[in-house]
Amino acid sequence: DTTSFEIPHPTDLNEWKKLHHDTESVFIQLSQAITDLYQSNITQTKLGDVQVLDIKPKSWEDNGKVLVYTHGGAYIFGSANSTIGIAVLAANATGLRVISINYTVAPFSKWNQTTDEVISVIQALKDQQGYSLDDIAMFGDSAGGGLVASSILKMRDEGLGMPVAAVLWSPWLDLTGNGDTYFTLKNADPYLSYDLFLKKAASAYADPPDQRNPYVSAIYGNFSKGYSPTLIQGGTREILLSEFVRLYQALDQADIPVKLDIYDGMPHVHQILYKTPES
């Protein structure tokens, strides 16, 4: 339950460091059972001056393709290390090599620097490791899903091309909290509260005047200029549900291949519930 965390004032960096330290152990605990189960080959390295984890499933065979992951945590929690469980689940399910980006969390990095970190990893995979964008897909959960969605818009607008596909698990796509289900599902979501938690996290990542920038909240992007084919997954017990619908409609109206895949009764990022049939 994220609402149990006390969010510091944006300028109190010592308190932010303490909060990040305290939450890391919670995330690590969630990941441990998954990493123990699947026994992937995990190495730490750098791409484009950004720390990443390189995850290969147990019986990995190189097919020349790679999946790039940006973790969730409301932009203020988590690391590649503590969220390794989700990257391992994806590697095991797809058989792909997964690169998990250890991007700098807020408020130590704001949206412009954070999206640049993500893009620099993609560029390094192309320039240093010889991948083409046709062999790079991206996925992220929660804030990480929003980070994938907005980074692709920024890549496109900077003339860098786009990954071959995007997979968004319960993506946080509108940091202003304007979606209908922020209100209608306020008491149904077991994990998230906008007023008690997400609003403060949003301000740590992006000043309120910046929160409608498409590189912060991808829902405000112009998709008529093209976009990666996208899969959006979520559950019916999420305050973010209307954002999934709004992004689906925006992509569909722009004739971008898109699938909206919603699971009945499921909470935020239900894929982490790896023993359930929905996951």
Side-chain angles (χ1 to χ4, degrees):
D1 179 5
T2 53
T3 59
S4 62
F5 296 115
E6 189 65 39
I7 306 296
H9 189 273
T11 59
D12 193 343
L13 297 186
N14 284 331
E15 280 300 306
W16 278 102
K17 284 175 187 170
K18 184 178 181 301
L19 177 66
H20 192 258
H21 177 268
D22 292 346
T23 53
E24 277 293 274
S25 57
V26 177
F27 278 80
I28 287 167
Q29 222 171 357
L30 287 169
S31 285
Q32 193 61 55
I34 298 169
T35 53
D36 289 348
L37 181 64
Y38 292 113
Q39 298 181 338
S40 299
N41 180 7
I42 301 165
T43 53
Q44 190 171 318
T45 184
K46 271 192 169 185
L47 284 168
D49 285 330
V50 180
Q51 281 194 334
V52 300
L53 291 179
D54 189 337
I55 300 118
K56 298 183 178 82
K58 202 172 179 182
S59 303
W60 179 68
E61 291 180 15
D62 190 359
N63 64 354
K65 299 182 187 299
V66 64
L67 190 54
V68 176
Y69 170 57
T70 59
H71 67 79
Y75 293 111
I76 60 173
F77 296 150
S79 65
N81 183 49
S82 64
T83 59
I84 189 70
I86 287 185
V88 165
L89 280 175
N92 182 71
T94 61
L96 292 171
R97 176 191 185 196
V98 174
I99 297 293
S100 179
I101 303 177
N102 195 40
Y103 62 87
T104 309
V105 293
F108 307 101
S109 173
K110 293 282 191 178
W111 59 274
N112 215 7
Q113 295 78 32
T114 310
T115 48
D116 280 349
E117 285 184 357
V118 172
I119 292 169
S120 74
V121 170
I122 302 291
Q123 289 296 100
L125 283 169
K126 288 172 61 188
D127 300 341
Q128 296 170 21
Q129 302 201 2
Y131 286 96
S132 82
L133 283 172
D134 288 340
D135 294 316
I136 300 172
M138 296 179 74
F139 93 104
D141 59 301
S142 193
L147 184 53
V148 165
S150 53
S151 296
I152 291 173
L153 284 170
K154 194 173 187 181
M155 285 179 68
R156 181 200 69 187
D157 293 348
E158 291 181 356
L160 301 173
M162 293 176 284
V164 72
V167 176
L168 312 178
W169 292 357
S170 299
W172 188 19
L173 298 160
D174 184 358
L175 273 65
T176 70
N178 272 326
D180 174 63
T181 50
Y182 279 107
F183 306 96
T184 59
L185 293 178
K186 192 174 186 177
N187 298 318
D189 191 320
Y191 298 140
L192 297 178
S193 163
Y194 187 75
D195 293 336
L196 296 176
F197 173 64
L198 288 180
K199 188 174 184 178
K200 296 173 185 174
S203 293
Y205 181 66
D207 296 333
D210 292 330
Q211 288 176 10
R212 283 181 181 262
N213 187 308
Y215 305 154
V216 176
S217 298
I219 206 81
Y220 299 107
N222 176 358
F223 299 99
S224 65
K225 300 178 190 174
Y227 202 73
S228 302
T230 300
L231 169 64
I232 307 161
Q233 290 189 323
T236 59
R237 291 298 182 102
E238 303 196 52
I239 57 173
L240 306 182
L241 177 60
S242 57
E243 296 179 23
F244 316 156
V245 174
R246 288 160 67 202
L247 181 64
Y248 167 78
Q249 289 174 333
L251 290 169
D252 188 51
Q253 285 163 14
D255 292 324
I256 307 298
V258 58
K259 179 171 180 175
L260 179 63
D261 190 24
I262 300 298
Y263 289 76
D264 193 39
M266 286 293 102
H268 191 57
V269 194
H270 70 266
Q271 293 87 344
I272 193 71
L273 306 173
Y274 63 99
K275 293 181 179 177
T276 65
E278 290 87 355
S279 177

